[in-house]
């Protein structure tokens, strides 16, 4: 079927891919927009996997402060060249991921699953076994239930596996976002580390009991 310029523009606006790549994706997908997006995503994954082993020692340390100074994030994201690190697109990526960490529904504990403390995962697994027992599940499926609980915990708490807060469809993960940028920019891009700060975090706060204070003041 004939691919129109309007279709190419729509796909380009949705994915940020090049005009020729969009045209080819639509041709390969017979004009199906969703299939064309999948085609481009798979192409991006292939391109990203080829670049994953390349040294990324440049990049930027970025920050994001949210909610009137109550939450702040510092993040280091690496790329291959200083030229790319200084581009608006790369700087926007750094800020977007820092913003995601500040506002994510679940605070990420680590960049990737291999960075999570094994003791934390072991505790989650123990809790899974205990819950299975309490719910009266057959012993033969306790391990399966516990493994599922651990996997959910990993997906919820690993930055790369979280769904990007700015994705309107609620499907694109941070890893997908990086893959898209690698394919577009042409360099290996890696999130190296991050730190998230929340005002008063870890400080035990005394709860004020107004009724008790009033009663004490009245001598009751």
């Amino acid at each position: 079927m004939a691919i129109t310029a309007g279709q190419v523009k729509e796909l380009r606006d949705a994915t940020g891919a090049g005009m020729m790549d969009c045209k080819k994706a639509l041709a390969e997908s017979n004009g199906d927009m969703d299939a064309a997006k999948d085609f481009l995503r798979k192409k991006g994954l292939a391109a990203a996997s080829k670049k994953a082993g390349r040294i990324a020692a440049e990049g930027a340390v970025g920050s994001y402060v949210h909610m009137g100074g109550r939450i702040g994030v510092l993040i280091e994201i690496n790329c291959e060249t200083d030229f790319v690190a200084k581009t608006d697109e790369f700087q926007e990526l750094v800020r977007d991921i820092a913003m995601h960490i500040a506002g994510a529904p679940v605070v990420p504990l680590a960049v990737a699953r291999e960075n999570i403390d094994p003791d934390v995962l072991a505790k989650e697994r123990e809790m899974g076994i205990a819950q299975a027992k309490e719910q009266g599940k057959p012993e033969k499926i306790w391990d399966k239930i516990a493994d599922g609980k651990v996997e959910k915990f990993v997906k919820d708490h690993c930055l790369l596996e979280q769904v990007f807060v700015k994705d309107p469809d609620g499907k694109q993960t941070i890893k997908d976002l990086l893959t898209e940028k690698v394919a577009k920019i042409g360099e290996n891009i890696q999130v190296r580390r991050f730190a998230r700060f929340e005002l008063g975090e870890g400080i035990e706060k005394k709860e004020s009991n107004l009724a008790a204070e009033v009663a004490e003041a009245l001598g009751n």
Side-chain angles (χ1 to χ4, degrees), residues 57-153:
E58 296 295 336
V61 173
S63 64
Y64 180 81
V65 179
H66 186 57
M67 291 180 63
R70 298 194 65 83
I71 297 175
V73 173
L74 282 174
I75 188 168
E76 178 183 350
I77 299 184
N78 299 129
C79 58
E80 296 178 44
T81 65
D82 186 52
F83 173 79
V84 164
K86 292 178 179 178
T87 62
D88 290 343
E89 186 162 13
F90 186 83
Q91 291 293 328
E92 182 181 3
L93 173 67
V94 174
R95 179 175 171 78
D96 277 348
I97 297 182
M99 183 201 67
H100 168 91
I101 295 169
V106 177
V107 176
L109 297 179
V111 173
R113 58 175 57 212
E114 57 266 25
N115 303 131
I116 291 186
D117 186 343
D119 291 339
V120 172
L121 297 182
K123 185 175 180 180
E124 283 296 312
R125 197 172 194 286
E126 289 175 6
M127 290 173 59
I129 295 287
Q131 288 176 1
K133 290 180 180 179
E134 290 176 6
Q135 293 169 2
K137 303 293 185 182
E139 185 174 354
K140 63 182 180 180
I141 65 169
W142 287 355
D143 285 336
K144 185 176 181 181
I145 292 173
D147 289 343
K149 181 175 176 62
V150 170
E151 181 63 20
K152 184 179 186 306
F153 180 88

